Amino acid sequence: MRLAVTFLVTAVFWCVALVASDAQDADRQVSGLVVSRSEIMLSSQVAATIQDMPFRRGQAFAKGDTLVEFDCAVMLAERDAQLERRISADQRYETAQRLGRSGAVAKGDLLLAQSDAKIAAAELRAIEAQLRGCTIAAPFSGRVVDTFASRFENVRQAQELISIVDRENLEIELIVPSNWLRWLQPGSQFRYTIFENEEVYTAKVFAIGATVDPVSRTIAIFAKFTATPTDVLPGMTGVASFGEG
């Protein structure tokens, strides 16, 4: 009798589970979150005064736009002076080479002139590398999340200046029941309705998570919009509808 009751309870449990699973499959709707592939903090590569910082919080910019420009007049003057020193060192080395071919200069003096020319060239390259940090250009098209400095402010090297987010390479993160793996795969398309603007977009799964959560029996999937939306921002939420199986 006890065995029969146990069997009946087990059978009821699995029937309920299968019904719930089928109902969930019939809906095939899950919540999702729009995220950006790139959200970065840009820091100063030089210790200098900010000459211009044209973009404010929330403003859009294009790839290559100048986000921060520094007053590097002192470094430019140092570069010009070092350029003259390098030219002078090169001339002394060329003269030593000519004299060396006729035996009119000692080998040690020739090697010293060569070393001076190499050092002058290396110091010039170091200054030119610093000068490249006088302008921070946008690595991608995006929006300004926040700024942490302002025009005319004197900043130190490695100081955080501006946080930006990529507005073009948007992705959708979803958590779906693990039993969807019976039919869900990279390339699966779905409709994604965003709550904030009530617009419907088409998206496509491009990757499936590596592990299943054994407690919730869910797995993460990742998707991209089939066409880059212009009115969608990272952090927007919505519902993914996969339609009929």
Coordinates of all heavy atoms in Angstrom, one line a residue, residues 21-94:
S21 N 6.5 22.9 -17.3 CA 7.5 23.0 -18.4 C 6.9 23.3 -19.7 O 7.4 24.2 -20.4 CB 8.4 21.8 -18.4 OG 9.3 21.9 -19.5
D22 N 5.8 22.6 -20.1 CA 5.2 22.8 -21.4 C 4.6 24.2 -21.4 O 4.6 24.9 -22.5 CB 4.1 21.8 -21.6 CG 4.7 20.4 -21.9 OD1 5.9 20.4 -22.2 OD2 4.0 19.4 -21.7
A23 N 4.0 24.7 -20.3 CA 3.4 26.0 -20.3 C 4.5 27.1 -20.5 O 4.3 28.1 -21.2 CB 2.6 26.2 -19.0
Q24 N 5.6 26.8 -19.8 CA 6.7 27.8 -19.9 C 7.3 27.8 -21.3 O 7.5 28.9 -21.9 CB 7.8 27.4 -18.9 CG 8.9 28.5 -18.7 CD 9.9 28.0 -17.7 OE1 10.3 26.9 -17.7 NE2 10.2 28.9 -16.8
D25 N 7.3 26.6 -22.0 CA 7.8 26.6 -23.3 C 6.8 27.3 -24.3 O 7.2 27.9 -25.3 CB 8.0 25.1 -23.8 CG 9.4 24.6 -23.4 OD1 10.1 25.4 -22.9 OD2 9.7 23.4 -23.7
A26 N 5.5 27.1 -24.0 CA 4.5 27.8 -24.8 C 4.6 29.3 -24.9 O 4.5 29.9 -25.9 CB 3.1 27.3 -24.4
D27 N 4.9 29.9 -23.7 CA 5.1 31.3 -23.6 C 6.4 31.7 -24.2 O 6.5 32.6 -25.1 CB 5.1 31.8 -22.1 CG 3.7 31.6 -21.5 OD1 2.7 31.5 -22.3 OD2 3.6 31.5 -20.3
R28 N 7.5 31.1 -23.8 CA 8.8 31.4 -24.3 C 9.1 32.9 -24.3 O 9.5 33.5 -25.2 CB 9.0 30.8 -25.7 CG 9.1 29.3 -25.7 CD 9.5 28.7 -27.1 NE 9.6 27.3 -26.9 CZ 9.9 26.5 -27.9 NH1 10.0 27.0 -29.2 NH2 10.0 25.2 -27.7
Q29 N 8.8 33.5 -23.1 CA 9.1 34.9 -22.8 C 10.0 35.0 -21.6 O 9.7 34.3 -20.6 CB 7.8 35.7 -22.7 CG 7.0 35.9 -24.0 CD 5.9 36.8 -23.8 OE1 5.5 37.1 -22.7 NE2 5.4 37.3 -24.9
V30 N 11.0 35.8 -21.7 CA 11.9 36.0 -20.5 C 12.3 37.5 -20.5 O 12.3 38.1 -21.5 CB 13.1 35.1 -20.5 CG1 12.8 33.6 -20.3 CG2 13.9 35.3 -21.8
S31 N 12.6 37.9 -19.3 CA 13.1 39.3 -19.2 C 14.6 39.4 -19.6 O 15.3 38.4 -19.6 CB 13.0 39.8 -17.7 OG 11.7 39.8 -17.3
G32 N 15.0 40.6 -20.1 CA 16.3 40.8 -20.5 C 16.9 42.1 -20.2 O 16.1 43.0 -19.8
L33 N 18.2 42.3 -20.3 CA 18.8 43.5 -20.0 C 19.8 43.9 -21.1 O 20.5 43.1 -21.6 CB 19.7 43.4 -18.7 CG 20.5 44.6 -18.3 CD1 19.7 45.8 -17.9 CD2 21.5 44.2 -17.2
V34 N 19.7 45.2 -21.6 CA 20.6 45.7 -22.6 C 21.9 46.1 -22.0 O 21.9 46.9 -21.0 CB 20.0 46.9 -23.4 CG1 20.9 47.4 -24.4 CG2 18.7 46.5 -24.0
V35 N 23.0 45.6 -22.5 CA 24.3 46.0 -21.9 C 25.2 46.4 -23.1 O 25.0 46.1 -24.2 CB 25.0 44.8 -21.2 CG1 24.1 44.4 -20.0 CG2 25.2 43.6 -22.1
S36 N 26.2 47.2 -22.7 CA 27.2 47.6 -23.7 C 28.4 46.7 -23.6 O 28.8 46.3 -22.6 CB 27.6 49.1 -23.5 OG 28.7 49.4 -24.4
R37 N 29.0 46.4 -24.8 CA 30.2 45.6 -24.8 C 31.4 46.3 -24.2 O 32.3 45.7 -23.7 CB 30.5 45.1 -26.2 CG 31.6 44.0 -26.3 CD 31.6 43.4 -27.7 NE 32.1 44.4 -28.7 CZ 32.2 44.1 -30.0 NH1 31.8 43.0 -30.5 NH2 32.6 45.1 -30.8
S38 N 31.4 47.6 -24.3 CA 32.5 48.4 -23.8 C 32.0 49.6 -22.9 O 31.3 50.4 -23.4 CB 33.4 48.9 -24.9 OG 33.9 47.9 -25.7
E39 N 32.4 49.6 -21.7 CA 32.2 50.8 -20.8 C 33.5 51.0 -20.1 O 33.9 50.2 -19.3 CB 31.0 50.6 -19.8 CG 30.8 51.8 -19.0 CD 29.5 51.7 -18.2 OE1 28.7 50.8 -18.4 OE2 29.3 52.5 -17.2
I40 N 34.2 52.1 -20.4 CA 35.6 52.3 -19.9 C 35.7 53.6 -19.2 O 35.0 54.6 -19.5 CB 36.6 52.1 -21.0 CG1 36.4 53.2 -22.1 CG2 36.5 50.7 -21.6 CD1 37.4 53.1 -23.2
M41 N 36.8 53.6 -18.4 CA 37.2 54.9 -17.7 C 38.5 55.3 -18.4 O 39.4 54.6 -18.5 CB 37.4 54.6 -16.2 CG 38.0 55.8 -15.5 SD 36.8 57.2 -15.3 CE 35.7 56.4 -14.1
L42 N 38.5 56.6 -18.8 CA 39.7 57.1 -19.4 C 40.5 58.0 -18.4 O 39.8 58.8 -17.7 CB 39.4 57.9 -20.7 CG 38.7 57.1 -21.8 CD1 38.3 58.1 -22.9 CD2 39.6 56.1 -22.3
S43 N 41.8 57.8 -18.3 CA 42.6 58.5 -17.3 C 43.6 59.4 -18.1 O 44.0 59.1 -19.2 CB 43.3 57.6 -16.4 OG 42.3 56.8 -15.7
S44 N 44.2 60.3 -17.3 CA 45.2 61.2 -17.9 C 46.5 60.5 -18.0 O 46.9 59.8 -17.1 CB 45.4 62.4 -17.0 OG 46.5 63.2 -17.5
Q45 N 47.2 60.6 -19.2 CA 48.5 60.1 -19.4 C 49.6 61.1 -19.1 O 50.8 60.8 -19.1 CB 48.6 59.6 -20.8 CG 47.7 58.5 -21.2 CD 47.8 58.0 -22.6 OE1 48.9 58.0 -23.2 NE2 46.7 57.6 -23.2
V46 N 49.2 62.3 -18.9 CA 50.2 63.4 -18.6 C 49.7 64.2 -17.3 O 48.5 64.2 -17.0 CB 50.3 64.3 -19.8 CG1 50.9 63.6 -21.0 CG2 49.0 65.0 -20.1
A47 N 50.6 64.9 -16.7 CA 50.3 65.8 -15.7 C 50.2 67.2 -16.3 O 51.3 67.8 -16.7 CB 51.3 65.8 -14.6
A48 N 49.1 67.7 -16.5 CA 48.9 69.0 -17.2 C 47.6 69.6 -16.9 O 46.7 69.1 -16.2 CB 49.1 68.8 -18.7
T49 N 47.3 70.8 -17.4 CA 46.1 71.5 -17.3 C 45.1 71.2 -18.4 O 45.6 71.2 -19.6 CB 46.3 73.0 -17.2 OG1 47.2 73.3 -16.2 CG2 45.0 73.8 -17.1
I50 N 43.9 70.9 -18.1 CA 42.9 70.6 -19.2 C 42.6 71.8 -19.9 O 42.1 72.8 -19.3 CB 41.6 70.0 -18.5 CG1 42.0 68.6 -17.9 CG2 40.6 69.8 -19.6 CD1 40.8 68.0 -17.2
Q51 N 42.8 71.8 -21.2 CA 42.5 73.0 -22.1 C 41.0 72.9 -22.6 O 40.4 74.0 -22.7 CB 43.4 73.0 -23.2 CG 43.3 74.2 -24.2 CD 44.4 74.3 -25.2 OE1 45.6 74.4 -24.8 NE2 44.1 74.1 -26.5
D52 N 40.5 71.7 -22.9 CA 39.2 71.6 -23.3 C 38.6 70.2 -23.0 O 39.4 69.2 -23.0 CB 39.1 71.8 -24.8 CG 37.7 72.1 -25.3 OD1 36.8 72.3 -24.5 OD2 37.4 72.0 -26.5
M53 N 37.4 70.1 -22.7 CA 36.7 68.9 -22.4 C 35.3 69.1 -22.9 O 34.3 69.4 -22.2 CB 36.7 68.6 -20.9 CG 36.6 67.1 -20.5 SD 37.0 66.9 -18.8 CE 36.7 65.2 -18.6
P54 N 35.0 68.9 -24.2 CA 33.8 69.4 -24.8 C 32.6 68.6 -24.6 O 31.5 69.2 -24.7 CB 34.1 69.3 -26.3 CG 35.2 68.3 -26.4 CD 36.0 68.4 -25.2
F55 N 32.7 67.4 -24.1 CA 31.5 66.6 -24.0 C 31.1 66.4 -22.5 O 31.9 66.1 -21.6 CB 31.7 65.2 -24.6 CG 31.9 65.2 -26.1 CD1 33.1 65.2 -26.6 CD2 30.8 65.4 -26.9 CE1 33.3 65.2 -28.0 CE2 30.9 65.4 -28.3 CZ 32.2 65.4 -28.8
R56 N 29.8 66.6 -22.2 CA 29.3 66.5 -20.9 C 28.6 65.2 -20.7 O 28.4 64.4 -21.6 CB 28.3 67.7 -20.6 CG 28.9 69.0 -20.7 CD 29.9 69.3 -19.6 NE 31.3 69.0 -20.0 CZ 32.3 69.0 -19.1 NH1 32.1 69.2 -17.9 NH2 33.5 68.7 -19.6
R57 N 28.1 64.9 -19.5 CA 27.4 63.7 -19.2 C 26.1 63.5 -20.1 O 25.3 64.4 -20.2 CB 26.9 63.8 -17.7 CG 26.2 62.5 -17.2 CD 25.6 62.7 -15.8 NE 26.7 63.0 -14.9 CZ 26.4 63.3 -13.6 NH1 25.2 63.2 -13.1 NH2 27.4 63.5 -12.8
G58 N 26.0 62.4 -20.7 CA 24.9 62.0 -21.5 C 25.0 62.4 -23.0 O 24.3 61.9 -23.8
Q59 N 26.0 63.2 -23.3 CA 26.2 63.6 -24.7 C 26.8 62.5 -25.5 O 27.7 61.7 -25.0 CB 27.1 64.9 -24.8 CG 26.4 66.1 -24.3 CD 27.2 67.4 -24.5 OE1 28.4 67.4 -24.2 NE2 26.6 68.4 -25.1
A60 N 26.4 62.5 -26.8 CA 27.0 61.5 -27.7 C 28.2 62.0 -28.4 O 28.3 63.2 -28.7 CB 25.9 61.1 -28.7
F61 N 29.1 61.1 -28.8 CA 30.3 61.5 -29.6 C 30.6 60.4 -30.6 O 30.1 59.3 -30.5 CB 31.5 61.7 -28.6 CG 31.7 60.5 -27.8 CD1 32.5 59.4 -28.2 CD2 31.3 60.4 -26.5 CE1 32.7 58.3 -27.4 CE2 31.5 59.3 -25.6 CZ 32.2 58.2 -26.1
A62 N 31.4 60.8 -31.6 CA 31.8 59.8 -32.6 C 33.2 59.3 -32.4 O 34.0 60.0 -31.7 CB 31.7 60.5 -34.0
K63 N 33.5 58.2 -33.0 CA 34.8 57.6 -32.9 C 35.8 58.6 -33.4 O 35.6 59.2 -34.5 CB 34.9 56.3 -33.6 CG 36.3 55.6 -33.5 CD 36.3 54.3 -34.3 CE 37.7 53.6 -34.2 NZ 37.7 52.3 -34.9
G64 N 36.9 58.9 -32.7 CA 37.9 59.8 -33.1 C 37.7 61.2 -32.6 O 38.7 62.0 -32.6
D65 N 36.6 61.6 -32.0 CA 36.3 62.9 -31.5 C 37.3 63.1 -30.3 O 37.6 62.2 -29.5 CB 34.9 63.0 -31.0 CG 33.9 63.3 -32.2 OD1 34.4 63.5 -33.3 OD2 32.7 63.3 -31.9
T66 N 37.7 64.3 -30.1 CA 38.5 64.7 -28.9 C 37.7 64.8 -27.7 O 36.8 65.6 -27.6 CB 39.3 66.0 -29.2 OG1 40.2 65.8 -30.3 CG2 40.1 66.4 -27.9
L67 N 38.0 63.9 -26.7 CA 37.2 64.0 -25.5 C 37.9 64.9 -24.4 O 37.2 65.5 -23.6 CB 37.1 62.5 -24.9 CG 36.4 61.5 -25.8 CD1 36.4 60.1 -25.1 CD2 35.0 62.0 -26.1
V68 N 39.2 64.9 -24.4 CA 40.0 65.7 -23.5 C 41.2 66.2 -24.2 O 41.9 65.5 -24.9 CB 40.4 64.9 -22.2 CG1 41.1 65.9 -21.2 CG2 39.3 64.2 -21.6
E69 N 41.5 67.5 -24.1 CA 42.7 68.1 -24.7 C 43.4 68.9 -23.6 O 42.8 69.7 -22.8 CB 42.3 69.1 -25.8 CG 43.5 69.7 -26.5 CD 43.1 70.5 -27.7 OE1 41.9 70.6 -28.0 OE2 44.0 71.1 -28.4
F70 N 44.7 68.7 -23.5 CA 45.5 69.3 -22.4 C 46.4 70.4 -23.0 O 46.7 70.5 -24.2 CB 46.5 68.3 -21.8 CG 45.8 67.2 -21.1 CD1 45.5 66.0 -21.8 CD2 45.4 67.3 -19.8 CE1 44.8 65.0 -21.1 CE2 44.7 66.3 -19.1 CZ 44.4 65.1 -19.8
D71 N 46.7 71.4 -22.1 CA 47.7 72.4 -22.5 C 49.1 71.8 -22.3 O 49.6 71.7 -21.2 CB 47.5 73.6 -21.6 CG 48.4 74.8 -21.9 OD1 49.3 74.6 -22.8 OD2 48.4 75.8 -21.2
C72 N 49.7 71.6 -23.4 CA 51.0 70.9 -23.4 C 52.1 71.9 -24.0 O 53.1 71.4 -24.6 CB 51.0 69.6 -24.2 SG 50.1 68.3 -23.4
A73 N 52.0 73.2 -23.8 CA 52.9 74.1 -24.3 C 54.3 73.9 -23.8 O 55.3 74.0 -24.5 CB 52.5 75.5 -24.0
V74 N 54.5 73.5 -22.5 CA 55.8 73.3 -21.9 C 56.4 72.1 -22.6 O 57.6 72.1 -23.0 CB 55.7 73.1 -20.4 CG1 57.0 72.7 -19.8 CG2 55.2 74.3 -19.7
M75 N 55.7 71.0 -22.8 CA 56.2 69.8 -23.4 C 56.6 70.1 -24.9 O 57.6 69.5 -25.4 CB 55.3 68.6 -23.3 CG 55.4 67.9 -22.0 SD 54.5 66.3 -22.0 CE 52.8 66.9 -21.8
L76 N 55.8 70.9 -25.5 CA 56.1 71.2 -26.9 C 57.4 72.0 -27.0 O 58.2 71.7 -27.9 CB 55.0 72.0 -27.5 CG 53.7 71.3 -27.9 CD1 52.6 72.3 -28.2 CD2 53.9 70.3 -29.0
A77 N 57.6 72.9 -26.1 CA 58.9 73.6 -26.0 C 60.1 72.6 -25.8 O 61.2 72.7 -26.4 CB 58.9 74.7 -25.0
E78 N 59.8 71.7 -24.8 CA 60.9 70.7 -24.5 C 61.2 69.8 -25.8 O 62.3 69.5 -26.0 CB 60.4 69.8 -23.4 CG 60.4 70.5 -22.0 CD 59.8 69.7 -20.9 OE1 59.4 68.6 -21.2 OE2 59.9 70.1 -19.8
R79 N 60.1 69.5 -26.5 CA 60.3 68.7 -27.7 C 61.1 69.4 -28.8 O 62.0 68.9 -29.4 CB 58.9 68.4 -28.3 CG 58.9 67.3 -29.5 CD 59.1 68.0 -30.8 NE 58.3 69.1 -31.1 CZ 57.0 69.1 -31.6 NH1 56.4 67.9 -31.9 NH2 56.3 70.2 -31.8
D80 N 60.8 70.7 -28.9 CA 61.6 71.5 -29.9 C 63.1 71.6 -29.5 O 64.0 71.5 -30.3 CB 61.0 72.9 -30.0 CG 59.6 72.9 -30.7 OD1 59.3 71.9 -31.3 OD2 58.9 73.9 -30.5
A81 N 63.3 71.8 -28.2 CA 64.7 71.9 -27.7 C 65.4 70.6 -27.9 O 66.6 70.5 -28.3 CB 64.7 72.3 -26.2
Q82 N 64.7 69.5 -27.6 CA 65.3 68.2 -27.7 C 65.6 67.8 -29.2 O 66.6 67.2 -29.5 CB 64.5 67.1 -27.1 CG 65.1 65.7 -27.1 CD 66.4 65.6 -26.4 OE1 66.6 66.3 -25.4 NE2 67.3 64.9 -26.9
L83 N 64.7 68.3 -30.1 CA 64.9 68.1 -31.5 C 66.2 68.8 -32.0 O 67.0 68.2 -32.7 CB 63.8 68.7 -32.3 CG 63.8 68.6 -33.8 CD1 64.0 67.1 -34.3 CD2 62.6 69.2 -34.5
E84 N 66.5 70.0 -31.5 CA 67.7 70.7 -31.8 C 68.9 69.9 -31.2 O 70.0 69.8 -31.9 CB 67.7 72.1 -31.2 CG 66.7 73.0 -31.9 CD 67.0 73.2 -33.4 OE1 68.2 73.3 -33.8 OE2 66.0 73.2 -34.2
R85 N 68.8 69.4 -30.0 CA 69.9 68.6 -29.4 C 70.2 67.3 -30.3 O 71.3 66.9 -30.4 CB 69.6 68.2 -28.0 CG 69.7 69.4 -27.0 CD 69.7 68.9 -25.6 NE 68.4 68.5 -25.2 CZ 67.5 69.4 -24.6 NH1 67.8 70.6 -24.4 NH2 66.3 68.9 -24.3
R86 N 69.1 66.7 -30.7 CA 69.3 65.5 -31.6 C 70.0 65.8 -32.9 O 70.9 65.1 -33.3 CB 68.0 64.8 -31.8 CG 68.1 63.4 -32.4 CD 67.0 63.0 -33.2 NE 67.0 63.7 -34.5 CZ 66.1 63.6 -35.5 NH1 65.1 62.8 -35.3 NH2 66.2 64.3 -36.6
I87 N 69.6 66.9 -33.5 CA 70.2 67.4 -34.8 C 71.7 67.6 -34.6 O 72.5 67.2 -35.4 CB 69.5 68.6 -35.3 CG1 68.1 68.2 -35.8 CG2 70.3 69.2 -36.5 CD1 67.2 69.4 -36.2
S88 N 72.0 68.3 -33.4 CA 73.4 68.6 -33.1 C 74.2 67.4 -32.9 O 75.3 67.2 -33.4 CB 73.5 69.6 -31.9 OG 74.8 69.9 -31.6
A89 N 73.6 66.4 -32.1 CA 74.3 65.2 -31.9 C 74.5 64.4 -33.1 O 75.6 63.7 -33.3 CB 73.5 64.3 -30.9
D90 N 73.5 64.4 -34.1 CA 73.7 63.7 -35.3 C 74.8 64.3 -36.2 O 75.6 63.6 -36.8 CB 72.4 63.7 -36.1 CG 71.3 62.8 -35.5 OD1 71.7 61.9 -34.7 OD2 70.1 63.0 -35.9
Q91 N 74.9 65.6 -36.1 CA 76.0 66.3 -36.9 C 77.3 66.0 -36.3 O 78.3 65.7 -37.1 CB 75.7 67.8 -36.9 CG 74.5 68.2 -37.7 CD 74.2 69.7 -37.6 OE1 74.6 70.4 -36.6 NE2 73.4 70.2 -38.5
R92 N 77.4 65.9 -35.0 CA 78.7 65.6 -34.4 C 79.1 64.2 -34.8 O 80.3 63.9 -35.0 CB 78.7 65.8 -32.9 CG 78.6 67.2 -32.5 CD 78.9 67.4 -31.0 NE 78.0 66.6 -30.2 CZ 76.8 67.2 -29.7 NH1 76.5 68.4 -30.0 NH2 76.0 66.5 -28.9
Y93 N 78.2 63.3 -34.8 CA 78.5 61.9 -35.1 C 78.9 61.7 -36.6 O 79.8 61.0 -36.9 CB 77.2 61.0 -34.8 CG 77.4 59.5 -35.2 CD1 78.6 58.9 -34.8 CD2 76.4 58.9 -35.9 CE1 78.7 57.5 -35.1 CE2 76.6 57.5 -36.2 CZ 77.8 56.9 -35.8 OH 77.9 55.5 -36.2
E94 N 78.2 62.5 -37.5 CA 78.5 62.4 -38.9 C 80.0 62.9 -39.1 O 80.7 62.4 -39.9 CB 77.5 63.2 -39.7 CG 76.2 62.6 -39.8 CD 75.1 63.5 -40.5 OE1 75.5 64.6 -40.9 OE2 74.0 63.1 -40.6

